[in-house]
């Protein structure tokens, strides 16, 4: 494996020759350098690319002083990448020729594949087949190519890739929208933020966003990666990427779009990209090494603070300003983002009192007042140094001063900021042109300067979010943790469809999830009863795979207290079932003990992109109206289940709300973990599980599922 | 009244001579122009101020070529404003002299008043007294002065006020943080956004933020005002300002800080400003003509779109881009902000199909693709024009193109954008320096260019939010609407304290709010009963003003079904009350009918800054854990109460959730409105009302309050 990859990198496809080729063949080269076949020649010769460039076009002997080859077979070896800029009907034969010539990678700019639908879809299918046969891996089609600013290899086309202002930096972008993504690279450069790489993946017929992301994450020159994502189909691979990011301490900045129905339709109409619901992406982002960004400013600010490579030890922030108003504002935003503004220690407070005027505030946030301007900010720097040194403080936000004394101040400040390993961030008080040289000097010396106070806090919060996830990840037991139960055989009927309640509960019981005591009887059995099959009070329900919504169908009777009532109820529900759906297959009458406790629901779905996911909430209005639910990818252990329980806003109800007893959270966590194993072990057959309600009893007294529904799918 | 004020302006103090004085006396003038007494002379002579400038200092005959006066009495008349830059111990005598000399306004920069606590508070009290006696209105103390960029009157000190880059614009700022606020003026100027005025109000010993805001809102040259607010004490005046803003169609941009406990403490320590809870401010902002901004970018973006003075007729947005990714992203954000992306009409769609390439998307968001670059954006402009003309569309966001063809494109685009009165906003695709001249030309021609796609949508959403509030305000009946009930005498006991449940409910009943049937009896009365005082089942509670939390005290018995049970319950609750608090005054035993229905709560508090406020929610966990509550300022009518009911997330429970019957929302709205009248009519005596629970019955069957508590306060 390449030396530029992390030593611990596992199972990662090595794309080093793709992103930094020894030579590039430009297939369909044009001598008009403004055209799509000409632009790459300009880009590869005028921006310092060190590899060789081989134009291919039988029409010309040379272009721009470069020998032009009549066909791909004539191109000298070694050649690692072919840029294909021909119309779609020529692409398949080119790929075959690349295979024959031993050129391993193609970047296919050509449009006219799956994004146009109909015949384009078929053409793309053939392209994939051809590439596989030829042994060629390809980027695209329908993409804008690649920017490698680390090695000056710009292999693509478009206006933005030709800008001289673009700068490299320790981040690699993979973008599903080339036009937008390359625009981001240009904008970031203006704010001093660079990218080593940016690849536009187009239709992803072969090489996917995630495959490239995995590779870039392992590259030593990248401290982070950034994904502009419309959709992906392999949710589990995304989750694994997030775990690897935590292991490496390199965040994956993700800008996900297509999150609303309207946005999703727009994404589908422009790249025919299908995708899972945004909620599942958010779950993946929240628990893995991702930082979700939502706008250009977000991205730039997060990159500025991330590149300092400082990791806050805790969430305690010291804030220092020259204006009370700014301190109040920053304090508010810190609290809103879950950061803490603790008291400074007494020695620090005493020290500050000697440094500032009497009407200054030495509490956190510290307001040194405009009086800080009176000594060219010498005392202001001492104030900042004192706060940084305070053991109660993990990181600092300071408002930078402005005016003619700022340059001298900044040189002294840089020494202070670099004498600590705590994150130190400046909030720039005015516009980027005000003392622009000072900002440049500060940022060159590892001090991020963020515009706007709110944005400053948001950026710092992202640093804390990642640090906290990294710390939690380091503490978490590895995947080898023992399962609470082995995989169980379930004896499921063939085909898709709904299991009846009794059979659904048998599946739960097989996984050790407590269910209410119940017996399945025929109407005749019930009529012959001399004594109740279970102690009164009882519940009677119809058992039918064809009537999944029993309450709505009127086939449930509660609180039955005598044998006569039981008999009547059995007849009642059979009649009601017949009335509801005379064709429904009836498996009998289900007689259950009455259960009570706090009602919660455990659901599970087998998402076609993310695989099995478990949902937890209080059910009813809490789930439907208040959306107070949480999700985790299955399987997971009881510790994760406990985190899940505490995720919901109404969690206090389980821990003893308003003097009520604390409930059996341990038993609930066990049930959640077991449901996650049930669906994960049988993901080939189980499409959905709905355990609703499951009653939670006081601590030590367990939980019991009162109703359940398992939906099967055909084996794939 | 001044000609520069709106003709309809009522009861507004005229500060025209303060903000644009015929002459300014600088009291404590210094011939060192870098000092606090010298800076104003530089500012008033070098920035085009047309009024006269009179330095006052017995030490000098002249400063900077200006005659220097030995005392205030010698200053020529007329002189409208004195800038006071002396130490705090001299200020009182200066104010007296100003009064004697007939100078009506003072701007007091001096610090050392209430913000330092102790003697400073007393000094400020004397300052207010002195000013009142002298007939002088004053700004400050402890402020940075005033920027009037409309008339070039810069009357203050500090670094930012000396910047030559500041620009005027149709907005007036009032700021409670001078340092921060003036920094905002400087930053905004960099982005082409100007302010006519910015006043730093300091400690607001006399002239308040709201008084200035009312004045500026009426000035014809201001289309909006902006408040940087740490806190205000007159919430009702803020609400009235918001209503006036809707009447005039001029938004009040408000940047409120000090919203968390930490932020509030920081605000108190820097200006000793006390303030109401942020939730009440948010209620005021949400229902009045305010646009809340939360960061520098927000403010600048909102000002850019507001100054176009275009009002969207509805919330339907057409989005047009050259890159699918950008369209997807903008579509997502529009939906998140409550904007709609409707289908375009068939004729528009047909027209677009002829303008774009086959793989473009002509659905909304329209993706013209990078192919738009191939004809110097001529067809892109035609696409934009077609979407603007679509009758399904109220407003348009377009991504502006970049590159060398952009200047010519922009000139044609300006014509298109100015041929409509629909809002047309550009999302700038890269950095502000990319085609900066094009951005300048566009903005000079009423086309706002917003950086970052998310910010673009947020800015447009603010335009819609204000337009919708304005439309709702125009439809709302005026305050003369009839009250559902007249003011009622309540016969309340003197002094502060809690009323017992029975007396609390009598107050509710006096305002026509239905309460459960109940009788107040002594234990002896109960023992003598031959038949139940109300039909069984009944509830028994202790009636005691000293035991407000009855359930916790164990003095409630439910579901009583016989006379014996009733008798026992009466003895029980008396014993329990005695056990709970042997000193509690017992007024008897309250015997009530059992009530049922959906439990909701109506609360009311008499906030010391905002006055009476009514709170509504489902109570219990919904209020405590899920915060699903809403607030309105009292009094209000039933229409407002209905809006309030629909504010909460769980409102669906009232409208018939999951096949349940719809509940009596009319009766609930009537009860809410009546509680609002009760507390508003008796705001001098009622501190709090808690109606919890009030049961809501099915439609047509009313509501009934099952428990209530009124807390009294001493008459002020």
């Amino acid at each position: 494996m390449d030396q530029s990859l992390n030593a611990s990198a596992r199972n990662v496809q090595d794309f080093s020759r793709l992103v930094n080729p020894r030579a590039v063949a430009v297939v369909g080269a044009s001598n008009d350098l403004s055209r799509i076949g000409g632009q790459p020649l300009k880009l590869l010769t005028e921006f310092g690319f060190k590899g060789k460039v081989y134009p291919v076009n039988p029409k010309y002997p040379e272009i721009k002083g470069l020998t032009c080859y009549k066909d791909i077979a004539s191109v000298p070896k070694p050649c690692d990448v072919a840029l294909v800029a021909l119309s779609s009907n020529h692409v398949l034969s080119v790929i075959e020729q690349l295979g024959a010539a031993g050129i391993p990678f193609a970047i296919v700019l050509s449009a006219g594949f799956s994004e146009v639908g109909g015949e384009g879809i078929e053409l793309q299918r053939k392209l994939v087949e051809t590439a596989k046969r030829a042994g060629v891996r390809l980027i695209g089609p329908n993409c804008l190519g690649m920017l490698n600013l680390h090695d000056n290899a710009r292999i693509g086309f478009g206006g933005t890739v030709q800008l001289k202002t673009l700068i490299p930096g320790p981040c690699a972008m993979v973008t599903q929208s080339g036009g937008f993504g390359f625009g981001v690279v240009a904008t970031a450069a203006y704010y001093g933020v660079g990218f080593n790489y940016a690849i536009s993946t187009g239709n992803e017929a072969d090489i996917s966003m995630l495959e490239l992301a995995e590779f870039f994450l392992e590259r030593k020159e990248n401290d982070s990666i950034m994904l502009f994502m419309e959709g992906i189909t392999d949710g589990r691979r995304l989750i694994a990427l997030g775990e690897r990011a935590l292991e490496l301490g390199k965040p994956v900045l993700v800008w996900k779009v297509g999150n609303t129905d309207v946005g999703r339709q727009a994404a589908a109409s422009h790249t025919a990209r299908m995708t899972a619901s945004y909620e599942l992406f958010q779950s993946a982002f929240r628990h893995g090494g991702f930082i979700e960004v939502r706008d250009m400013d977000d991205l730039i600010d997060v990159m500025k603070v991330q590149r300092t490579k400082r990791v806050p030890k805790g969430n305690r922030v010291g804030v220092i300003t020259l204006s009370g108003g700014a301190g109040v504002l920053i304090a508010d935003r810190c609290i809103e983002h879950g950061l803490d503004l603790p008291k400074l220690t007494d020695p620090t407070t005493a020290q500050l009192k000697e440094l500032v005027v009497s009407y200054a505030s030495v509490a956190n946030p510290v307001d040194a007042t405009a009086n800080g301007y009176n000594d060219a900010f010498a005392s202001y720097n001492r104030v900042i140094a004192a706060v940084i040194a305070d053991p109660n403080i993990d990181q600092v936000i300071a408002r930078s001063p402005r005016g003619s004394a700022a340059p001298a101040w900044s040189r002294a400040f840089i020494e202070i900021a670099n004498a600590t390993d705590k994150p130190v961030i400046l909030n720039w008080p005015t516009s980027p042109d005000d003392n622009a040289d000072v900002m440049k000097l500060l940022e060159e010396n590892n001090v991020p300067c963020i515009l706007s106070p709110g944005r400053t806090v948001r950026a710092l919060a992202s640093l804390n979010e990642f640090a906290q996830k990294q710390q939690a990840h380091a503490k978490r037991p590895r995947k080898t943790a023992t399962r609470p139960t082995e995989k169980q055989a379930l004896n499921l009927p063939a085909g898709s469809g709904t299991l009846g309640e009794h059979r659904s509960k048998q599946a739960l019981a097989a996984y050790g999830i407590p269910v209410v005591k119940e017996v399945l009887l025929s109407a005749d059995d019930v009529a012959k009863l001399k004594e109740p099959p279970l102690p009164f009070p009882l519940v009677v329900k119809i058992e039918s795979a064809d009537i999944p919504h029993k309450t709505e169908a009127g086939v449930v009777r509660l609180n039955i207290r005598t044998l006569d009532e039981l008999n009547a109820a059995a007849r009642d529900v059979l009649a009601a079932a017949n009335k509801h759906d005379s064709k429904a297959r009836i498996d009998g009458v289900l007689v259950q003990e009455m259960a009570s406790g706090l009602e919660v629901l455990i659901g599970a779905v087998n998402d076609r992109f993310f695989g099995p996911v478990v949902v937890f909430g209080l059910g009813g209005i809490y789930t439907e109206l208040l959306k107070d639910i949480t999700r985790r990818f299955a399987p997971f252990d009881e510790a994760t289940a406990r985190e899940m329980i505490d995720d919901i806003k109404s969690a206090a109800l389980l821990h003893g709300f308003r003097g009520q007893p604390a409930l059996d959270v341990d038993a609930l966590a066990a049930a959640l973990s077991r449901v996650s194993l049930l669906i994960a072990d049988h993901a080939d057959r189980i499409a959905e599980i709905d355990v609703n309600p499951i009653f939670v009893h006081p601590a030590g007294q367990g939980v019991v599922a009162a109703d359940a529904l398992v939906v099967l799918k055909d084996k794939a």
Side-chain angles (χ1 to χ4, degrees), chain A:
Chain A
M1 185 157 282
D2 195 276
Q3 290 303 306
S4 55
L5 294 177
N6 293 306
S8 61
R10 294 160 302 206
N11 302 325
V12 167
Q13 165 89 36
D14 187 351
F15 290 116
S16 301
R17 295 284 193 214
L18 166 65
V19 300
N20 188 21
R22 289 166 294 183
V24 179
V26 179
V27 183
S30 166
N31 67 352
D32 176 349
L33 299 184
S34 73
R35 298 200 52 167
I36 190 169
Q39 281 186 21
L41 298 178
K42 195 170 149 68
L43 290 168
L44 287 165
T45 53
E46 296 181 8
F47 286 83
F49 176 54
K50 296 234 162 47
K52 303 226 184 285
V53 184
Y54 304 131
V56 179
N57 191 333
K59 281 204 281 187
Y60 313 107
E62 60 96 27
I63 303 176
K64 218 176 179 264
L66 299 167
T67 305
C68 188
Y69 298 87
K70 68 177 197 301
D71 54 27
I72 291 167
S74 320
V75 166
K77 292 189 180 7
C79 178
D80 297 316
V81 170
L83 185 72
V84 183
L86 298 167
S87 64
S88 57
N89 55 327
H90 293 111
V91 173
L92 269 63
S93 103
V94 166
I95 298 293
E96 274 171 8
Q97 294 167 49
L98 295 178
I103 299 178
F105 296 109
I107 298 176
V108 183
L109 307 183
S110 328
F113 292 87
S114 69
E115 82 281 6
V116 299
E119 286 175 16
I121 295 174
E122 177 58 17
L123 189 62
Q124 182 159 321
R125 199 189 54 70
K126 284 186 188 151
L127 174 64
V128 173
E129 258 180 32
T130 306
K132 196 164 277 174
R133 212 166 44 229
V136 175
R137 299 294 318 266
L138 67 87
I139 297 284
N142 185 31
C143 75
L144 292 192
M146 180 182 80
L147 277 171
N148 171 351
L149 301 170
H150 184 259
D151 308 293
N152 301 312
R154 302 188 182 198
I155 314 177
F157 84 111
T160 327
V161 292
Q162 299 175 52
L163 289 174
K164 296 204 165 62
T165 50
L166 307 183
I167 55 174
C171 185
M173 173 194 292
V174 187
T175 175
Q176 291 185 329
S177 172
F180 190 79
F182 289 172
V184 169
V185 176
T187 308
Y190 169 76
Y191 293 103
V193 172
F195 288 89
N196 283 328
Y197 310 95
I199 296 195
S200 153
T201 56
N203 293 0
E204 300 188 8
D206 174 23
I207 300 174
S208 71
M209 158 169 269
L210 291 179
E211 211 174 348
L212 290 167
E214 287 163 355
F215 164 71
F216 281 132
L217 191 66
E218 301 292 346
R219 292 281 297 200
K220 289 175 184 161
E221 72 275 21
N222 299 326
D223 294 336
S224 63
I225 61 172
M226 188 251 152
L227 309 178
F228 184 85
M229 184 189 287
E230 294 181 354
I232 53 133
T233 51
D234 192 348
R236 292 288 160 154
R237 197 164 183 174
L238 182 74
I239 293 166
L241 179 73
E243 291 202 355
R244 182 65 178 154
L246 292 177
E247 270 169 38
L248 294 173
K250 296 182 180 185
V252 178
L253 314 186
V254 59
W255 189 346
K256 170 76 177 69
V257 301
N259 306 332
T260 61
D261 288 344
V262 173
R264 207 155 24 240
Q265 278 165 27
S269 77
H270 112 93
T271 46
R273 216 180 302 276
M274 296 302 298
T275 186
S277 78
Y278 183 45
E279 286 73 23
L280 294 183
F281 281 98
Q282 285 182 304
S283 284
F285 299 157
R286 197 171 303 127
H287 301 113
F290 299 94
I291 297 175
E292 194 177 0
V293 298
R294 290 177 47 89
D295 214 350
M296 196 80 86
D297 307 321
D298 263 4
L299 173 65
I300 288 163
D301 298 341
V302 169
M303 286 180 72
K304 279 190 174 191
V305 300
Q306 288 291 350
R307 72 180 171 192
T308 65
K309 292 196 183 187
R310 295 201 181 173
V311 179
K313 301 264 190 311
N315 73 341
R316 302 168 306 170
V317 185
V319 175
I320 310 122
T321 74
L322 293 155
S323 140
V328 174
L329 162 55
I330 291 172
D332 276 349
R333 292 290 180 278
C334 283
I335 301 303
E336 288 166 9
H337 281 282
L339 302 173
D340 190 17
L341 262 77
K343 278 190 181 172
L344 302 174
T345 59
D346 290 346
T348 307
T349 307
Q351 204 181 339
L352 295 186
K353 276 188 182 149
E354 294 191 1
L355 291 168
V356 298
V357 290
S358 64
Y359 53 91
S361 170
V362 297
N364 188 13
V366 177
D367 172 14
T369 81
N371 196 62
Y373 280 78
N374 284 345
D375 64 354
F377 314 115
S379 62
Y380 188 54
N381 260 341
R382 285 194 288 273
V383 168
I384 296 171
V387 176
I388 291 174
D390 191 298
N392 279 2
I393 294 297
D394 301 310
Q395 56 213 309
V396 158
I397 292 176
R399 286 269 286 185
S400 69
R402 51 167 308 285
S404 55
W409 165 82
S410 69
R411 288 187 290 274
F413 175 78
I414 284 167
E415 288 189 25
I416 294 168
N418 284 320
T420 177
D421 60 357
K422 296 180 182 178
V424 177
I425 298 189
L426 286 178
N427 168 219
W428 202 250
T430 54
S431 52
D433 67 331
D434 190 19
N435 279 318
D437 289 348
V438 176
M439 193 197 282
K440 191 157 179 285
L441 182 73
L442 287 160
E443 296 212 314
E444 283 167 1
N445 285 280
N446 211 31
V447 179
C449 301
I450 314 284
L451 301 171
S452 293
R455 285 171 52 181
T456 309
V457 178
R458 198 172 59 187
L460 189 67
S462 80
L463 204 62
N464 282 268
E465 182 196 333
F466 188 78
Q468 284 160 22
K469 288 200 277 195
Q470 236 190 311
Q471 286 152 16
H473 181 80
K475 277 188 228 153
R476 205 169 291 151
R478 295 302 94 183
K479 278 290 146 66
T480 51
T482 49
R483 298 165 46 115
T485 176
E486 287 311 297
K487 179 167 178 174
Q488 304 293 320
L490 293 180
N491 187 26
L492 298 169
S496 64
T498 303
L499 286 187
E501 175 176 341
H502 188 59
R503 292 200 70 174
S504 295
K505 282 195 197 133
Q506 285 173 332
L508 296 182
Y511 271 76
I513 298 151
V515 298
V516 290
K517 287 193 193 113
E518 62 187 24
V519 289
L520 182 60
L521 302 170
S522 68
D524 285 353
D525 293 339
V526 175
K528 288 177 200 151
L529 288 171
K530 300 279 179 246
E531 56 186 46
L534 294 164
F536 291 121
L538 292 171
V539 177
V540 168
K541 297 175 180 171
I542 208 75
E543 170 80 3
S544 167
D546 295 332
I547 308 179
H549 302 294
K550 291 187 284 284
T551 303
E552 290 80 346
V555 294
V556 179
R557 294 295 178 275
L558 301 173
N559 206 19
I560 289 159
R561 294 173 176 273
T562 66
L563 274 180
D564 284 349
E565 283 179 21
L566 181 59
N567 224 322
R571 284 194 308 268
D572 265 14
V573 298
L574 282 163
N578 186 52
K579 190 177 162 200
H580 176 72
D581 176 1
S582 61
K583 299 207 180 74
R585 289 161 302 172
I586 306 298
D587 294 324
V589 173
L590 198 54
V591 180
Q592 303 176 336
E593 61 181 359
M594 287 274 285
S596 64
L598 179 73
E599 281 189 44
V600 303
L601 80 80
I602 301 176
V605 292
N606 203 338
D607 184 77
R608 73 167 155 147
F609 301 116
F610 275 92
V613 187
V614 173
V615 179
F616 168 69
L618 291 192
I621 174 179
Y622 296 98
T623 301
E624 288 189 39
L625 297 182
L626 302 168
K627 316 283 180 210
D628 189 22
I629 50 173
T630 182
R631 294 176 179 79
R632 286 292 189 295
F633 298 105
F636 50 79
D637 60 13
E638 293 179 13
T640 300
R642 241 176 241 107
E643 283 176 23
M644 206 173 165
I645 293 166
D646 285 333
D647 272 353
I648 63 169
K649 292 193 203 100
S650 36
L653 282 185
L654 288 150
H655 297 302
F657 181 63
R658 286 181 155 187
Q660 298 291 312
L663 302 185
D664 202 335
V665 171
D666 288 344
L668 179 59
L672 277 162
S673 171
R674 285 163 188 266
V675 170
S676 83
L677 288 166
L678 169 57
I679 193 163
D681 287 348
H682 299 278
D684 58 336
R685 292 301 323 284
I686 298 183
E688 279 177 48
I689 302 172
D690 191 20
V691 189
N692 182 16
I694 177 165
F695 289 102
V696 190
H697 301 145
Q701 298 176 38
V703 299
V704 64
D707 198 355
L709 190 70
V710 170
V711 181
L712 299 180
K713 60 176 193 167
D714 274 322
K715 212 165 192 133

